[in-house]
PDB file of all heavy atoms in Angstrom:
ATOM      1  N   ASN A 536     169.971  61.380  11.205  1.00 96.00           N
ATOM      2  CA  ASN A 536     171.164  60.572  11.470  1.00 96.00           C
ATOM      3  C   ASN A 536     170.900  59.097  11.212  1.00 96.00           C
ATOM      4  O   ASN A 536     169.759  58.634  11.245  1.00 96.00           O
ATOM      5  CB  ASN A 536     171.614  60.755  12.920  1.00 96.00           C
ATOM      6  CG  ASN A 536     172.034  62.176  13.191  1.00 96.00           C
ATOM      7  OD1 ASN A 536     172.932  62.695  12.545  1.00 96.00           O
ATOM      8  ND2 ASN A 536     171.372  62.819  14.136  1.00 96.00           N
ATOM      9  N   THR A 537     171.971  58.371  11.023  1.00 97.00           N
ATOM     10  CA  THR A 537     171.908  56.931  10.811  1.00 97.00           C
ATOM     11  C   THR A 537     171.658  56.237  12.154  1.00 97.00           C
ATOM     12  O   THR A 537     172.155  56.675  13.191  1.00 97.00           O
ATOM     13  CB  THR A 537     173.208  56.444  10.153  1.00 97.00           C
ATOM     14  OG1 THR A 537     173.302  57.089   8.875  1.00 97.00           O
ATOM     15  CG2 THR A 537     173.242  54.947   9.978  1.00 97.00           C
ATOM     16  N   ALA A 538     170.881  55.169  12.111  1.00 97.00           N
ATOM     17  CA  ALA A 538     170.526  54.448  13.333  1.00 97.00           C
ATOM     18  C   ALA A 538     170.604  52.946  13.084  1.00 97.00           C
ATOM     19  O   ALA A 538     170.461  52.482  11.958  1.00 97.00           O
ATOM     20  CB  ALA A 538     169.126  54.842  13.784  1.00 97.00           C
ATOM     21  N   ILE A 539     170.832  52.210  14.165  1.00 97.00           N
ATOM     22  CA  ILE A 539     170.896  50.748  14.106  1.00 97.00           C
ATOM     23  C   ILE A 539     169.944  50.168  15.145  1.00 97.00           C
ATOM     24  O   ILE A 539     169.639  50.797  16.152  1.00 97.00           O
ATOM     25  CB  ILE A 539     172.324  50.219  14.364  1.00 97.00           C
ATOM     26  CG1 ILE A 539     172.820  50.641  15.748  1.00 97.00           C
ATOM     27  CG2 ILE A 539     173.270  50.676  13.258  1.00 97.00           C
ATOM     28  CD1 ILE A 539     174.146  50.020  16.167  1.00 97.00           C
ATOM     29  N   SER A 540     169.492  48.954  14.880  1.00 95.00           N
ATOM     30  CA  SER A 540     168.628  48.281  15.856  1.00 95.00           C
ATOM     31  C   SER A 540     169.463  47.781  17.030  1.00 95.00           C
ATOM     32  O   SER A 540     170.691  47.647  16.936  1.00 95.00           O
ATOM     33  CB  SER A 540     167.915  47.101  15.197  1.00 95.00           C
ATOM     34  OG  SER A 540     168.843  46.075  14.909  1.00 95.00           O
ATOM     35  N   ARG A 541     168.806  47.490  18.107  1.00 92.00           N
ATOM     36  CA  ARG A 541     169.496  46.909  19.265  1.00 92.00           C
ATOM     37  C   ARG A 541     170.101  45.554  18.908  1.00 92.00           C
ATOM     38  O   ARG A 541     171.133  45.166  19.437  1.00 92.00           O
ATOM     39  CB  ARG A 541     168.532  46.789  20.439  1.00 92.00           C
ATOM     40  CG  ARG A 541     168.216  48.146  21.024  1.00 92.00           C
ATOM     41  CD  ARG A 541     167.442  48.055  22.335  1.00 92.00           C
ATOM     42  NE  ARG A 541     167.102  49.398  22.747  1.00 92.00           N
ATOM     43  CZ  ARG A 541     165.889  49.920  22.670  1.00 92.00           C
ATOM     44  NH1 ARG A 541     164.898  49.190  22.221  1.00 92.00           N
ATOM     45  NH2 ARG A 541     165.655  51.157  23.053  1.00 92.00           N
ATOM     46  N   LYS A 542     169.448  44.850  17.980  1.00 93.00           N
ATOM     47  CA  LYS A 542     169.966  43.557  17.524  1.00 93.00           C
ATOM     48  C   LYS A 542     171.373  43.726  16.946  1.00 93.00           C
ATOM     49  O   LYS A 542     172.268  42.940  17.239  1.00 93.00           O
ATOM     50  CB  LYS A 542     169.037  42.965  16.468  1.00 93.00           C
ATOM     51  CG  LYS A 542     169.561  41.703  15.833  1.00 93.00           C
ATOM     52  CD  LYS A 542     168.665  41.220  14.718  1.00 93.00           C
ATOM     53  CE  LYS A 542     169.319  40.023  14.061  1.00 93.00           C
ATOM     54  NZ  LYS A 542     168.526  39.401  13.050  1.00 93.00           N
ATOM     55  N   VAL A 543     171.593  44.761  16.122  1.00 94.00           N
ATOM     56  CA  VAL A 543     172.906  45.011  15.532  1.00 94.00           C
ATOM     57  C   VAL A 543     173.924  45.277  16.635  1.00 94.00           C
ATOM     58  O   VAL A 543     175.018  44.705  16.647  1.00 94.00           O
ATOM     59  CB  VAL A 543     172.863  46.189  14.539  1.00 94.00           C
ATOM     60  CG1 VAL A 543     174.257  46.561  14.054  1.00 94.00           C
ATOM     61  CG2 VAL A 543     171.945  45.863  13.367  1.00 94.00           C
ATOM     62  N   ALA A 544     173.553  46.145  17.567  1.00 94.00           N
ATOM     63  CA  ALA A 544     174.470  46.486  18.670  1.00 94.00           C
ATOM     64  C   ALA A 544     174.847  45.239  19.465  1.00 94.00           C
ATOM     65  O   ALA A 544     176.013  45.049  19.814  1.00 94.00           O
ATOM     66  CB  ALA A 544     173.832  47.532  19.569  1.00 94.00           C
ATOM     67  N   GLU A 545     173.881  44.378  19.712  1.00 93.00           N
ATOM     68  CA  GLU A 545     174.148  43.163  20.485  1.00 93.00           C
ATOM     69  C   GLU A 545     175.000  42.176  19.694  1.00 93.00           C
ATOM     70  O   GLU A 545     175.953  41.610  20.219  1.00 93.00           O
ATOM     71  CB  GLU A 545     172.829  42.518  20.913  1.00 93.00           C
ATOM     72  CG  GLU A 545     172.094  43.320  21.974  1.00 93.00           C
ATOM     73  CD  GLU A 545     170.683  42.825  22.233  1.00 93.00           C
ATOM     74  OE1 GLU A 545     170.257  41.795  21.640  1.00 93.00           O
ATOM     75  OE2 GLU A 545     169.971  43.491  23.019  1.00 93.00           O
ATOM     76  N   GLU A 546     174.657  41.957  18.414  1.00 92.00           N
ATOM     77  CA  GLU A 546     175.396  40.973  17.609  1.00 92.00           C
ATOM     78  C   GLU A 546     176.856  41.367  17.406  1.00 92.00           C
ATOM     79  O   GLU A 546     177.727  40.502  17.321  1.00 92.00           O
ATOM     80  CB  GLU A 546     174.717  40.769  16.254  1.00 92.00           C
ATOM     81  CG  GLU A 546     173.437  39.979  16.351  1.00 92.00           C
ATOM     82  CD  GLU A 546     172.795  39.685  15.011  1.00 92.00           C
ATOM     83  OE1 GLU A 546     173.274  40.177  13.966  1.00 92.00           O
ATOM     84  OE2 GLU A 546     171.793  38.952  15.005  1.00 92.00           O
ATOM     85  N   LEU A 547     177.124  42.678  17.329  1.00 92.00           N
ATOM     86  CA  LEU A 547     178.502  43.136  17.137  1.00 92.00           C
ATOM     87  C   LEU A 547     179.178  43.487  18.456  1.00 92.00           C
ATOM     88  O   LEU A 547     180.321  43.943  18.467  1.00 92.00           O
ATOM     89  CB  LEU A 547     178.529  44.335  16.191  1.00 92.00           C
ATOM     90  CG  LEU A 547     178.099  44.042  14.755  1.00 92.00           C
ATOM     91  CD1 LEU A 547     178.070  45.318  13.929  1.00 92.00           C
ATOM     92  CD2 LEU A 547     179.025  43.011  14.118  1.00 92.00           C
ATOM     93  N   ASP A 548     178.458  43.263  19.553  1.00 90.00           N
ATOM     94  CA  ASP A 548     178.984  43.555  20.890  1.00 90.00           C
ATOM     95  C   ASP A 548     179.507  45.001  20.978  1.00 90.00           C
ATOM     96  O   ASP A 548     180.597  45.254  21.490  1.00 90.00           O
ATOM     97  CB  ASP A 548     180.078  42.558  21.263  1.00 90.00           C
ATOM     98  CG  ASP A 548     180.401  42.585  22.752  1.00 90.00           C
ATOM     99  OD1 ASP A 548     179.490  42.919  23.555  1.00 90.00           O
ATOM    100  OD2 ASP A 548     181.550  42.286  23.119  1.00 90.00           O
ATOM    101  N   LEU A 549     178.707  45.926  20.449  1.00 92.00           N
ATOM    102  CA  LEU A 549     179.101  47.336  20.459  1.00 92.00           C
ATOM    103  C   LEU A 549     178.977  47.915  21.858  1.00 92.00           C
ATOM    104  O   LEU A 549     178.043  47.603  22.593  1.00 92.00           O
ATOM    105  CB  LEU A 549     178.223  48.140  19.491  1.00 92.00           C
ATOM    106  CG  LEU A 549     178.289  47.737  18.022  1.00 92.00           C
ATOM    107  CD1 LEU A 549     177.297  48.560  17.204  1.00 92.00           C
ATOM    108  CD2 LEU A 549     179.694  47.900  17.485  1.00 92.00           C
ATOM    109  N   LYS A 550     179.906  48.761  22.202  1.00 92.00           N
ATOM    110  CA  LYS A 550     179.895  49.439  23.498  1.00 92.00           C
ATOM    111  C   LYS A 550     179.444  50.882  23.283  1.00 92.00           C
ATOM    112  O   LYS A 550     180.000  51.582  22.423  1.00 92.00           O
ATOM    113  CB  LYS A 550     181.291  49.424  24.138  1.00 92.00           C
ATOM    114  CG  LYS A 550     181.881  48.035  24.286  1.00 92.00           C
ATOM    115  CD  LYS A 550     181.076  47.161  25.206  1.00 92.00           C
ATOM    116  CE  LYS A 550     181.734  45.804  25.377  1.00 92.00           C
ATOM    117  NZ  LYS A 550     180.815  44.702  25.291  1.00 92.00           N
ATOM    118  N   PRO A 551     178.446  51.352  24.044  1.00 95.00           N
ATOM    119  CA  PRO A 551     177.986  52.732  23.882  1.00 95.00           C
ATOM    120  C   PRO A 551     179.109  53.731  24.164  1.00 95.00           C
ATOM    121  O   PRO A 551     179.943  53.519  25.042  1.00 95.00           O
ATOM    122  CB  PRO A 551     176.876  52.868  24.921  1.00 95.00           C
ATOM    123  CG  PRO A 551     176.464  51.477  25.262  1.00 95.00           C
ATOM    124  CD  PRO A 551     177.691  50.631  25.075  1.00 95.00           C
ATOM    125  N   ILE A 552     179.111  54.818  23.385  1.00 94.00           N
ATOM    126  CA  ILE A 552     180.058  55.909  23.629  1.00 94.00           C
ATOM    127  C   ILE A 552     179.367  57.035  24.392  1.00 94.00           C
ATOM    128  O   ILE A 552     179.977  58.048  24.688  1.00 94.00           O
ATOM    129  CB  ILE A 552     180.658  56.446  22.313  1.00 94.00           C
ATOM    130  CG1 ILE A 552     179.561  56.977  21.390  1.00 94.00           C
ATOM    131  CG2 ILE A 552     181.520  55.394  21.643  1.00 94.00           C
ATOM    132  CD1 ILE A 552     180.058  57.810  20.229  1.00 94.00           C
ATOM    133  N   GLY A 553     178.092  56.839  24.677  1.00 96.00           N
ATOM    134  CA  GLY A 553     177.297  57.836  25.378  1.00 96.00           C
ATOM    135  C   GLY A 553     175.836  57.663  24.998  1.00 96.00           C
ATOM    136  O   GLY A 553     175.437  56.605  24.506  1.00 96.00           O
ATOM    137  N   THR A 554     175.068  58.701  25.213  1.00 95.00           N
ATOM    138  CA  THR A 554     173.654  58.681  24.862  1.00 95.00           C
ATOM    139  C   THR A 554     173.337  59.892  23.985  1.00 95.00           C
ATOM    140  O   THR A 554     174.125  60.832  23.899  1.00 95.00           O
ATOM    141  CB  THR A 554     172.747  58.696  26.109  1.00 95.00           C
ATOM    142  OG1 THR A 554     173.054  59.861  26.875  1.00 95.00           O
ATOM    143  CG2 THR A 554     172.933  57.443  26.942  1.00 95.00           C
ATOM    144  N   ALA A 555     172.175  59.844  23.350  1.00 94.00           N
ATOM    145  CA  ALA A 555     171.733  60.950  22.497  1.00 94.00           C
ATOM    146  C   ALA A 555     170.217  61.037  22.549  1.00 94.00           C
ATOM    147  O   ALA A 555     169.532  60.011  22.697  1.00 94.00           O
ATOM    148  CB  ALA A 555     172.196  60.730  21.061  1.00 94.00           C
ATOM    149  N   ASN A 556     169.699  62.242  22.457  1.00 92.00           N
ATOM    150  CA  ASN A 556     168.262  62.437  22.319  1.00 92.00           C
ATOM    151  C   ASN A 556     167.902  62.258  20.856  1.00 92.00           C
ATOM    152  O   ASN A 556     168.533  62.858  19.985  1.00 92.00           O
ATOM    153  CB  ASN A 556     167.849  63.845  22.767  1.00 92.00           C
ATOM    154  CG  ASN A 556     167.837  63.971  24.268  1.00 92.00           C
ATOM    155  OD1 ASN A 556     167.279  63.124  24.964  1.00 92.00           O
ATOM    156  ND2 ASN A 556     168.443  65.024  24.774  1.00 92.00           N
ATOM    157  N   VAL A 557     166.907  61.422  20.581  1.00 90.00           N
ATOM    158  CA  VAL A 557     166.421  61.271  19.215  1.00 90.00           C
ATOM    159  C   VAL A 557     164.943  61.647  19.196  1.00 90.00           C
ATOM    160  O   VAL A 557     164.207  61.392  20.150  1.00 90.00           O
ATOM    161  CB  VAL A 557     166.632  59.848  18.656  1.00 90.00           C
ATOM    162  CG1 VAL A 557     168.102  59.525  18.524  1.00 90.00           C
ATOM    163  CG2 VAL A 557     165.949  58.797  19.507  1.00 90.00           C
ATOM    164  N   TYR A 558     164.549  62.267  18.109  1.00 87.00           N
ATOM    165  CA  TYR A 558     163.172  62.714  17.940  1.00 87.00           C
ATOM    166  C   TYR A 558     162.541  61.912  16.813  1.00 87.00           C
ATOM    167  O   TYR A 558     163.139  61.716  15.765  1.00 87.00           O
ATOM    168  CB  TYR A 558     163.158  64.216  17.642  1.00 87.00           C
ATOM    169  CG  TYR A 558     163.834  64.988  18.746  1.00 87.00           C
ATOM    170  CD1 TYR A 558     165.193  65.282  18.679  1.00 87.00           C
ATOM    171  CD2 TYR A 558     163.128  65.370  19.880  1.00 87.00           C
ATOM    172  CE1 TYR A 558     165.834  65.950  19.717  1.00 87.00           C
ATOM    173  CE2 TYR A 558     163.756  66.036  20.921  1.00 87.00           C
ATOM    174  CZ  TYR A 558     165.106  66.324  20.826  1.00 87.00           C
ATOM    175  OH  TYR A 558     165.734  66.980  21.850  1.00 87.00           O
ATOM    176  N   HIS A 559     161.324  61.428  17.057  1.00 84.00           N
ATOM    177  CA  HIS A 559     160.647  60.545  16.115  1.00 84.00           C
ATOM    178  C   HIS A 559     159.151  60.775  16.206  1.00 84.00           C
ATOM    179  O   HIS A 559     158.696  61.615  16.991  1.00 84.00           O
ATOM    180  CB  HIS A 559     161.016  59.084  16.408  1.00 84.00           C
ATOM    181  CG  HIS A 559     160.953  58.743  17.866  1.00 84.00           C
ATOM    182  ND1 HIS A 559     159.777  58.504  18.533  1.00 84.00           N
ATOM    183  CD2 HIS A 559     161.936  58.646  18.801  1.00 84.00           C
ATOM    184  CE1 HIS A 559     160.039  58.250  19.820  1.00 84.00           C
ATOM    185  NE2 HIS A 559     161.352  58.339  19.995  1.00 84.00           N
TER     186      HIS A 559
END
Side-chain angles (χ1 to χ4, degrees):
N536 296 302
T537 298
I539 60 173
S540 70
R541 288 189 184 106
K542 174 185 175 175
V543 173
E545 290 170 4
E546 287 184 354
L547 294 176
D548 195 28
L549 299 176
K550 305 297 183 225
I552 60 166
T554 58
N556 284 312
V557 295
Y558 302 92
H559 46 78

